């Protein structure tokens, strides 16, 4: 049962450590959001401190559940859709944000009251993104996952990723390699496409692009395109660099349904390394933990009002059964 007021005043860090069954140092780490203890231990300590009434001013906001400790994450500037990419990033980003003493909340940006949060993480950045304008107008700290000049941003090294993916096929003797995208090469995929162009130009190979469309979903659009494409045109290609794993899934399924063998007849490379989607295909893998760590760090700098900076996270190729 809760202690009386006179008893609450006697609560000390020693009592909290004893009741939680941890060291005084662990209590200090929990109250000051420092690393070195597990999330379960941290929550246990915070619960004990709250019960005892031991709430130092440095952690009072955390235990009171202040909205300013809530960080919103927004997937799109438009109507939000299920995002496998966010699903890949969520565990790492959520953990990194919790370690900094804050909570992560997915939101539809149009429904968000910006006064209720202490910062925002933005995915799916587009040109003239209204979310960035709103954050700047409200002086709300934010970090973009994806390059955006004049903002704090964290992005995978997409140019080098596009190069590595394309070079992988060139090294296997392929010459007729096509880049497959749902729309144009802009809005997030331009650097992957430029990496592809760079390697093709270095090797004096023809640049080819297929735009499949994205409705109703990227993988379905890619499947429909490749299941109906003229056989003569299809046979003019040897390999495909896909702008994301979902597109690659559609391409692979259509080729297999048409009776082709991978990698015997065609080679396909995806991008992102989505768990459950790209487990067996060759793909460019993003380091979710590194992205999350840098997002959390830059969000802290944004909250301190520092000069916006960006950072690029390395990617790597994971060879699979499709090349």
């Amino acid at each position: 049962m809760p202690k009386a007021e006179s008893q609450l005043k006697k609560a000390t860090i020693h009592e909290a450590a004893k009741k939680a069954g941890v060291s005084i140092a662990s209590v200090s780490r929990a109250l000051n959001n420092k690393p070195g203890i597990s999330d379960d231990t941290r929550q246990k300590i915070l619960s004990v401190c709250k019960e005892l009434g031991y709430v130092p001013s440095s952690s009072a906001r955390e235990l009171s559940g202040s909205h300013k400790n809530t960080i919103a994450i927004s997937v799109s500037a438009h109507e939000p859709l299920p995002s496998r990419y966010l699903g890949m990033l969520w565990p790492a980003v959520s953990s990194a944000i919790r370690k900094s003493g804050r909570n992560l909340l997915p939101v539809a940006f149009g429904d968000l009251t910006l006064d209720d949060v202490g910062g925002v993480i933005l995915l799916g950045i587009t040109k003239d993104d209204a979310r960035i304008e709103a954050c700047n107008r409200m002086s709300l700290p934010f970090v973009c996952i994806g390059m955006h000049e004049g903002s704090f941003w964290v992005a995978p090294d997409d140019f080098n990723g596009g190069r590595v993916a394309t070079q992988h096929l060139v090294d296997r003797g392929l010459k007729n390699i096509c880049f497959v995208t749902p729309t144009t090469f802009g809005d997030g995929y331009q650097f992957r496409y430029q990496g592809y162009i760079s390697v093709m130009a270095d090797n004096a190979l023809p640049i080819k692009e297929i735009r499949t469309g994205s409705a109703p979903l990227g993988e379905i659009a890619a499947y429909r395109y490749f299941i109906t494409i003229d056989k003569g045109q299809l046979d003019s290609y040897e390999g495909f660099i896909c702008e994301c794993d979902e597109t690659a899934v559609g391409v692979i399924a259509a080729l297999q349904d048409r009776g082709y063998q991978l990698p015997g007849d065609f080679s396909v490379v995806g991008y992102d390394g989505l768990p459950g989607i790209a487990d067996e295909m060759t793909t460019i893998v993003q380091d979710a933990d590194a992205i999350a760590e840098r997002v959390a760090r830059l969000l802290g700098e944004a909250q301190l009002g520092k000069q916006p900076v960006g950072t690029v996270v390395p990617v790597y190729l994971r060879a699979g059964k499709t090349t």
Side-chain angles (χ1 to χ4, degrees):
M1 295 180 61
K3 291 180 177 289
E5 183 177 353
S6 60
Q7 292 177 295
L8 290 176
K9 293 179 180 179
K10 298 177 181 179
T12 68
I13 192 170
H14 298 277
E15 289 184 65
K18 182 177 180 179
K19 187 173 181 62
V22 298
S23 67
I24 293 173
S26 293
V27 176
S28 178
R29 290 190 184 98
L31 291 171
N32 292 286
N33 301 311
K34 300 295 184 182
I37 57 175
S38 69
D39 288 342
D40 287 343
T41 299
R42 187 186 308 277
Q43 292 305 316
K44 178 181 179 181
I45 293 170
L46 292 177
S47 295
V48 168
C49 288
K50 187 173 184 180
E51 178 185 346
L52 293 173
Y54 182 66
V55 187
S57 59
S58 61
S59 56
R61 289 189 302 273
E62 172 65 22
L63 293 180
S64 65
S66 168
H67 288 306
K68 292 303 181 181
N69 281 332
T70 297
I71 303 301
I73 185 165
S74 170
V75 177
S76 171
H78 308 292
E79 187 68 23
L81 296 172
S83 170
R84 292 192 182 97
Y85 184 66
L86 176 58
M88 178 184 74
L89 290 181
W90 178 266
V93 174
S94 180
S95 176
I97 293 298
R98 286 201 311 273
K99 287 178 181 178
S100 68
R102 295 164 291 184
N103 301 307
L104 193 62
L105 176 69
V107 298
F109 198 81
D111 298 332
L112 177 65
T113 301
L114 299 182
D115 289 336
D116 289 343
V117 299
V120 180
I121 300 169
L122 302 175
L123 283 76
I125 301 301
T126 60
K127 184 179 180 181
D128 301 323
D129 199 302
R131 297 173 298 170
I132 292 177
E133 179 184 350
C135 288
N136 285 329
R137 184 175 64 251
M138 296 287 294
S139 298
L140 182 68
F142 69 96
V143 176
C144 302
I145 298 182
M147 292 185 180
H148 189 271
E149 184 179 356
S151 303
F152 285 95
W153 58 262
V154 179
D157 190 354
D158 283 341
F159 177 78
N160 190 54
R163 281 190 57 86
V164 169
T166 309
Q167 190 65 53
H168 176 70
L169 297 188
V170 170
D171 289 345
R172 279 155 176 71
L174 278 63
K175 299 183 183 299
N176 295 302
I177 304 167
C178 182
F179 188 87
V180 185
T181 177
T183 53
T184 65
F185 59 79
D187 283 346
Y189 304 125
Q190 57 179 322
F191 297 109
R192 302 176 189 186
Y193 182 64
Q194 289 169 2
Y196 156 80
I197 290 176
S198 174
V199 171
M200 298 299 281
D202 285 347
N203 291 275
L205 297 174
I207 294 169
K208 302 179 180 182
E209 181 185 359
I210 287 177
R211 302 179 184 179
T212 64
S214 58
L217 294 171
E219 55 265 46
I220 295 176
Y223 179 87
R224 288 174 174 172
Y225 189 100
F226 274 79
I227 204 71
T228 59
I229 188 174
D230 178 75
K231 186 178 186 300
Q233 180 184 350
L234 183 58
D235 288 344
S236 70
Y237 304 121
E238 297 173 290
F240 302 98
I241 305 298
C242 298
E243 44 72 37
C244 67
D245 290 334
E246 289 100 327
T247 294
V249 165
V251 172
I252 292 167
L255 292 175
Q256 291 175 334
D257 284 356
R258 293 184 68 161
Y260 292 103
Q261 299 295 315
L262 276 70
D265 298 315
F266 296 101
S267 291
V268 177
V269 181
Y271 204 110
D272 289 333
L274 296 176
I277 298 295
D279 292 347
E280 296 189 348
M281 74 171 70
T282 297
T283 187
I284 299 296
V285 179
Q286 299 191 35
D287 188 337
D289 289 333
I291 291 173
E293 183 278 326
R294 298 189 192 189
V295 165
R297 175 166 53 84
L298 290 186
L299 187 58
E301 294 185 11
Q303 290 176 316
L304 293 174
K306 294 187 177 181
Q307 186 72 19
V309 295
T311 179
V312 173
V313 178
V315 297
Y316 65 92
L317 183 135
R318 184 181 66 214
K321 297 180 179 180
T322 58
T323 62

